RNA sequence: GGGCGUGUAGUCUAGUCUGGAUAGGGCGCUUGCCUCCGGAGCAAGAUGUCCCAGGUUCGAAUCCUGGCACGCCCGCCA
């Protein structure tokens, strides 16, 4: 067996089919691969080839007889083939049928052997990625839209890791924004106060109040600007108040993250960037580039700008000069973002010291950038992924383009904007300023989901302990929220509706967890020791084969998702919904199997074989749920 | 003005990159299935101008051209 086919049962059969077809039709392997597909109805075959259409065009013949001819030749060459059973033509389609018992037994053995590593491949071994998400302002609780970002970012990490990538998870903390100045002003006015709410919620509400005052009162505006200036001085009272506030807020926000199983390795703080010398170092390098210049005259005199007019996609910009550093020398957001992107790739020497932030529930410490602390070496990265909303497509593109203008072509090419649309309500988006997020914070949403789950758990487990029921309800709630966010195609807006978000029937996480729980239940009732001499050829039922086929596809589904991370001009798409629908389909096929194929009541030999299949299913769906960050539940 | 995204049954949506067989699901609706491994389930059924108009092709939800509708983006702002 070829090495790269290890742990990927589907690929073994696929490669064999491709080889056979290429030989028989005398066509290149790569060409054949373009014309391989899975028939819409499994009755037609397990795998199909449409090469006849292609050859018909080349040879100016009708596709039907070409398919016929290939099929009749194929019949000869598969006579002694252990993997392929038969081949049929249906019109121009060449349909092949796998040897079912071979397919089922290879799949089940492979899964049971690799166990919790099933699905993992080493296709991208040696590659390192830095991923930034979700970069929520430390001034409010996460709302369900922020959580979409976080869940996408976290799942992307899991998926990359499953294919061999090494991943470093980064969060960005903007502790110098206007919102922070406003809140600092308010806190200093109020003095010390006992806070009973979760701190991020407390700040979020406070912020709505401040905003009202800010908009109405010029005097307040002036005072807040003064606070903003003082925040730059790390020894000021304002700065000390702010740092304390931001730290408490991020810790509160992370309580939400931890509930959802989301952890990080590092945080980059804006204040650390501002005082680290990173910006000056970046500026120096930028000015060496031909298209980064300091303007001497015109409206933007004194500014350091990037010239973008020679680039096609920006030719319609109102002004070809993108300001990186203002005439007073301060950096714009774009300027800072370019510098940060340079840092991420290690173009600039790391100017940061690192400080312990806190120990996460997964046991790993998270560190923040600072001006004092220890040195760290994050190392080189092959790719940088920024998980940011679709409205930022243009600014993100600018950053990468400017990186290219600086001469870092490769880094520019390997910069990825993982784009997703926002979550909103029926007629309004979420706004921190207007407070429209109130009632839709992730904490509130998860809690509501938990209440509903709890009702159901109570009904089904009246004799279980409070601890058990609470823990299961929590797992169902967080799983449901993650699935809800991942199952929507990222380039589609989500309109948040309680009825849909909390619908636990059908295409939703509890169904997946439930199928795992049922499989677990069956296995609990059989003797613990693994059977060794099991006759897998007994598994001939349609439902058993369909389930095996789905199980066999798992590693390939992950690989296809990673291959699908293709960069286009305005972002890199991450098809999170491909994996959720795979997982749902897998669970559906188990439910059908469960319904039609009794396991414990089957005759001895058949029973043993079915138990092995259930074992393989349980491993696969558990691994898939872990990949999606959905808690695996034994009983519910 | 230019750019990006979306448009698929009552409703929410997959599929569009890479054209291929009868457009898959979920919710809701109709009807069956618990002396039988857990019914958050299974089986059967009804519901479609795949936004519109052209074009390319043996073949278009998918590609091209031109429209329409909705959302977003195009600051020395943050």
């Amino acid at each position: 067996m070829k090495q790269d086919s290890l742990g990927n049962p589907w690929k073994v059969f696929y490669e064999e089919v491709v080889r056979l077809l290429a030989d028989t039709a005398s066509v290149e392997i790569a060409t054949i691969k373009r014309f391989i597909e899975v028939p819409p109805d499994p009755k037609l075959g397990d795998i199909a080839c449409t090469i006849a259409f292609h050859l018909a065009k080349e040879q100016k013949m009708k596709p039907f007889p070409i398919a016929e001819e290939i099929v009749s030749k194929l019949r000869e060459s598969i006579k002694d083939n252990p993997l392929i059973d038969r081949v049929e033509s249906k019109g121009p389609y060449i349909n092949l049928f796998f040897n079912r018992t071979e397919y089922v037994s290879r799949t089940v053995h492979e899964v049971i052997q690799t166990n919790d590593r099933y699905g993992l491949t080493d296709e991208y071994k040696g590659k390192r990625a830095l991923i930034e998400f979700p970069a929520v302002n430390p001034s409010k609780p996460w709302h369900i839209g922020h959580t979409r970002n976080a869940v996408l970012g976290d799942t992307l990490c899991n998926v990359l890791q499953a294919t061999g990538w090494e991943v470093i998870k980064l969060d960005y903390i903007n502790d110098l924004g206007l919102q922070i100045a406003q809140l600092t002003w308010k806190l200093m006015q109020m003095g010390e106060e006992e806070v009973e709410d979760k701190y991020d919620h407390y700040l979020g509400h406070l912020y709505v109040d401040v905003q009202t005052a800010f908009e109405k009162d010029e005097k307040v505006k002036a005072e807040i600007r003064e606070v903003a200036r003082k925040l730059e001085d790390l020894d000021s009272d304002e700065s000390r108040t702010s740092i304390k506030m931001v730290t408490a807020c991020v810790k509160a926000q992370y309580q939400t993250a931890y509930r959802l199983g989301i952890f990080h390795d590092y945080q980059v703080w804006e204040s650390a960037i501002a005082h680290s010398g990173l910006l000056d170092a970046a500026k120096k390098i930028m000015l060496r580039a031909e298209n980064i210049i300091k303007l001497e005259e015109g409206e933007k005199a004194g500014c350091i700008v990037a010239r973008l007019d020679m680039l096609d996609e920006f030719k319609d910009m109102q002004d070809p000069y993108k300001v990186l550093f203002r005439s007073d020398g301060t950096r714009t957001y774009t300027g800072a973002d370019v510098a940060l992107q340079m840092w991420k790739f290690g173009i600039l020497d790391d100017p940061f010291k690192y400080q312990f932030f806190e120990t996460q529930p997964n046991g790993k410490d998270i560190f923040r950038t600072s001006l004092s602390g220890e040195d760290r070496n994050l190392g080189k990265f092959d790719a940088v992924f920024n998980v940011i909303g679709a409205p930022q497509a243009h600014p993100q593109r600018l950053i990468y383009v400017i990186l290219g203008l600086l001469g870092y072509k490769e880094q520019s090419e390997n910069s990825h904007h993982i784009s997703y649309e926002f979550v909103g309500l029926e007629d309004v988006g979420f706004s921190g300023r207007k407070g429209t997020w109130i009632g839709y914070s992730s904490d509130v949403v998860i809690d509501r989901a938990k209440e509903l789950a709890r009702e159901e758990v109570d009904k089904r487990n009246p004799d279980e302990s409070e601890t058990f029921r609470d823990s299961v309800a929590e797992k169902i709630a967080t799983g449901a929220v993650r699935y809800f966010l991942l199952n929507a195609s990222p380039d589609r807006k989500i309109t948040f509706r309680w009825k849909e978000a909390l619908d636990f029937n059908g295409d939703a996480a509890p169904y997946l967890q439930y199928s795992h729980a049922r499989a677990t239940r069956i296995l609990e009732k059989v003797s613990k020791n693994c059977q060794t001499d099991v006759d897998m050829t007994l598994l001939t039922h349609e439902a058993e084969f369909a389930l095996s086929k789905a199980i066999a596809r798992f590693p390939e589904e992950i690989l296809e998702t990673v291959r699908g991370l293709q960069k286009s001009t305005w972002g890199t798409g991450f098809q999170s919904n491909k994996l959720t629908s795979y997982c749902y389909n897998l669970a559906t096929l188990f439910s059908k199997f469960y319904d039609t194929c009794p396991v414990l009541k089957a005759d001895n030999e058949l029973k043993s074989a079915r138990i092995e299949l259930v074992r393989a299913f349980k491993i696969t769906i558990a691994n898939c749920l872990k990949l999606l960050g959905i808690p695996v539940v034994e009983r519910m």
Side-chain angles (χ1 to χ4, degrees):
Chain A
M1 212 57 49
K2 271 193 269 173
Q3 184 146 43
D4 60 357
S5 302
L6 267 176
N8 191 342
W10 183 83
K11 196 175 179 189
V12 176
F13 284 74
Y14 167 80
E15 297 284 2
E16 180 67 1
V17 166
V18 168
R19 191 189 62 79
L20 281 167
L21 280 161
D23 279 1
T24 310
S26 308
V27 177
E28 300 239 345
I29 297 255
T31 312
I32 288 290
K33 284 187 174 173
R34 280 170 47 214
F35 296 93
I36 295 287
E37 58 187 57
V38 175
D41 183 342
K43 284 187 194 115
L44 293 165
D46 299 314
I47 191 165
C49 184
T50 54
I51 189 71
F53 288 114
H54 176 70
L55 295 176
K57 194 169 282 180
E58 276 188 349
Q59 300 167 13
K60 295 201 189 330
M61 286 170 62
K62 290 209 185 302
F64 171 74
I66 295 177
E68 284 277 271
E69 198 195 323
I70 294 174
V71 164
S72 66
K73 281 192 201 160
L74 262 180
R75 286 217 173 91
E76 283 305 306
S77 40
I78 63 161
K79 259 188 180 151
D80 300 313
N81 194 303
L83 304 185
I84 311 300
D85 238 17
R86 62 197 167 93
V87 53
E88 282 175 6
S89 67
K90 175 144 183 155
Y93 293 92
I94 301 163
N95 295 326
L96 293 101
F97 294 80
F98 297 150
N99 180 318
R100 292 192 169 197
T101 55
E102 195 64 28
Y103 199 78
V104 172
S105 59
R106 274 172 186 257
T107 300
V108 172
H109 284 141
E110 194 72 59
V111 175
I112 290 173
Q113 246 175 38
T114 45
N115 205 326
D116 57 357
R117 297 185 50 80
Y118 179 60
L120 309 187
T121 53
D122 55 8
E123 187 149 325
Y124 296 91
K125 201 174 175 187
K127 293 254 188 191
R128 297 185 80 237
L130 184 70
I131 310 191
E132 180 193 300
F133 68 93
V136 181
N137 248 306
S139 58
K140 60 198 166 196
W142 286 14
H143 61 60
I144 195 69
H146 298 127
T147 303
R148 187 180 198 183
N149 179 313
V151 167
L152 280 169
D154 182 61
T155 305
L156 175 60
C157 292
N158 294 344
V159 170
L160 287 173
Q161 281 168 340
T163 60
W165 282 83
E166 184 193 335
V167 172
I168 299 291
K169 302 176 198 181
L170 183 75
D171 198 3
Y172 166 82
I173 312 292
N174 185 2
D175 59 330
L176 291 183
L178 179 66
Q179 307 191 1
I180 299 305
Q182 289 171 316
L183 283 166
T184 304
W185 171 83
K186 181 74 178 174
L187 284 185
M188 292 186 78
Q189 273 209 332
M190 297 192 315
E192 286 287 316
E193 192 187 62
E194 280 281 307
V195 179
E196 283 183 8
D197 277 356
K198 191 162 168 277
Y199 196 75
D200 50 348
H201 286 255
Y202 165 76
L203 280 189
H205 286 281
L206 209 58
Y207 181 69
V208 178
D209 299 343
V210 181
Q211 191 57 34
T212 320
F214 182 76
E215 271 167 12
K216 275 194 240 151
D217 194 335
E218 284 303 320
K219 190 174 148 252
V220 171
K221 265 190 192 171
E223 284 177 22
I224 288 174
R225 285 213 190 84
E226 183 55 25
V227 171
R229 257 193 298 281
K230 286 192 174 155
L231 284 183
E232 299 280 335
D233 172 10
L234 294 182
D235 288 326
S236 66
D237 286 345
E238 283 80 0
S239 179
R240 270 192 285 273
T241 304
S242 161
I243 288 171
K244 201 174 147 200
M245 170 186 88
V246 169
T247 303
C249 185
V250 172
K251 285 189 176 175
Q253 289 174 332
Y254 276 17
Q255 291 306 309
T256 312
Y258 299 154
R259 279 182 96 174
L260 292 161
I262 295 165
F263 309 102
H264 283 86
D265 299 301
Y266 295 100
Q267 296 167 347
V268 181
W269 284 47
E270 181 63 27
S271 57
I273 295 174
H275 297 283
S276 63
L278 178 79
L279 296 166
D280 286 336
K283 193 192 279 181
K284 242 169 144 178
I285 293 182
M286 287 178 192
L287 282 169
R288 278 191 232 142
E290 195 181 340
N291 292 304
I292 311 289
I293 49 172
K294 186 165 185 173
L295 292 176
E296 300 298 340
E297 51 192 37
E299 263 191 350
K300 291 178 175 173
C303 295
I304 294 174
V305 301
R307 287 194 53 178
L308 300 169
D309 44 342
M310 74 291 290
L311 293 159
D312 240 21
E313 57 263 50
F314 297 109
K315 66 180 188 307
D316 295 313
M317 272 180 66
Q318 289 161 3
D319 184 332
Y321 300 122
K322 183 69 197 172
V323 177
L324 303 175
F325 292 91
R326 303 183 185 104
S327 47
D328 65 3
T330 57
R331 88 288 182 281
T332 62
Y333 262 67
T334 308
D337 282 340
V338 172
L340 191 60
Q341 193 74 2
M342 288 164 80
W343 168 77
K344 286 176 180 175
F345 274 111
I347 292 168
L348 300 166
D349 288 338
D350 194 339
F352 297 124
K353 301 288 183 186
Y354 291 81
Q355 272 181 7
F356 170 80
F357 183 77
E358 69 179 354
T359 300
Q360 303 169 106
N362 67 347
K364 287 189 181 158
D365 292 344
I366 177 166
F367 289 85
R368 54 154 292 185
T369 58
S370 183
L371 300 178
S372 61
E374 53 182 294
D375 287 316
R376 292 233 151 197
N377 188 0
L378 271 55
K380 292 273 175 210
F381 294 101
D382 300 284
V384 169
F385 297 89
N386 297 324
V387 184
I388 302 180
Q392 298 263 28
H394 197 267
Q396 280 294 303
R397 173 78 181 141
L398 273 176
I399 295 165
Y400 308 159
V401 161
I402 292 169
L403 207 56
L405 286 181
L406 293 172
Y408 303 105
K409 287 272 182 280
E410 202 183 315
Q411 288 87 341
S412 171
E413 202 44 48
N414 292 326
S415 295
H416 294 275
H417 171 204
I418 299 295
S419 167
Y420 67 95
E421 282 288 349
F422 281 174
V423 183
L425 297 170
E426 207 85 41
D427 44 7
V428 62
F430 290 125
S431 153
R433 226 175 31 228
K434 295 180 193 145
T436 46
W437 57 269
I438 295 170
Y440 301 92
S441 71
S442 297
D443 293 321
V444 167
V445 172
I446 298 169
D447 286 342
R448 282 276 284 276
K450 188 173 179 177
E451 277 169 36
L452 282 179
R454 180 62 194 261
E455 279 176 32
E456 208 60 29
V457 171
D458 284 349
K459 253 189 257 169
R460 290 152 194 261
N461 304 278
D463 302 328
E464 292 291 347
S465 69
E466 165 68 23
T467 320
F468 171 86
R469 289 187 279 177
D470 180 76
S471 135
V472 170
E474 174 80 10
K475 286 175 180 169
I476 291 168
T478 56
V481 168
R482 278 191 74 125
Y483 187 86
F484 173 72
L485 295 171
L486 291 171
N487 196 34
S489 175
D491 54 13
R492 195 182 272 274
K493 269 174 300 193
I494 295 178
T495 301
F496 187 88
R497 296 184 186 91
W498 285 105
K499 196 171 168 292
E500 285 166 27
L502 301 183
D503 187 353
F504 290 170
N505 296 311
D507 190 4
Y511 176 74
L512 311 180
Q513 292 166 318
Y514 181 66
S515 72
H516 177 267
R518 284 162 117 189
T520 306
R521 202 71 170 151
I522 293 175
L523 296 176
E524 271 172 11
K525 294 188 177 172
V526 300
S527 58
K528 291 280 182 289
N529 34 341
C530 259
Q531 303 280 336
T532 43
D533 292 323
V534 178
D535 184 5
M536 299 306 283
T537 63
L538 295 170
L539 299 181
T540 54
H541 196 283
E542 219 39 70
E544 292 163 339
F545 184 55
L547 178 58
S548 303
K549 279 212 282 189
I551 291 171
R553 281 284 305 172
F554 183 47
E556 194 62 24
E557 292 284 335
I558 301 173
L559 284 167
E560 281 178 7
T561 306
V562 172
R563 288 189 204 114
L565 288 166
Q566 279 183 17
K567 185 169 172 164
S568 66
T569 311
W570 298 103
T572 299
F574 170 43
Q575 302 276 57
S576 63
N577 57 316
K578 183 181 168 65
L579 289 169
T580 52
S581 54
Y582 166 76
C583 198
Y584 176 67
N585 183 247
L586 179 66
T588 301
L589 292 172
F590 177 74
S591 296
K592 290 180 183 177
F593 160 78
Y594 182 94
D595 211 58
T596 47
C597 302
V599 178
L600 301 176
K601 293 214 165 63
D603 291 341
N604 252 337
E605 296 283 299
L606 181 59
K607 176 176 164 183
S608 303
R610 283 185 174 162
I611 286 168
E612 294 309 292
L613 180 58
V614 172
R615 224 186 281 283
F617 164 75
K618 179 176 140 78
I619 291 168
T620 308
I621 194 144
N623 292 356
C624 191
L625 287 171
K626 279 182 221 153
L627 192 74
L628 298 169
I630 296 169
V632 176
V633 179
E634 310 286 322
R635 274 179 299 151
M636 59 192 278

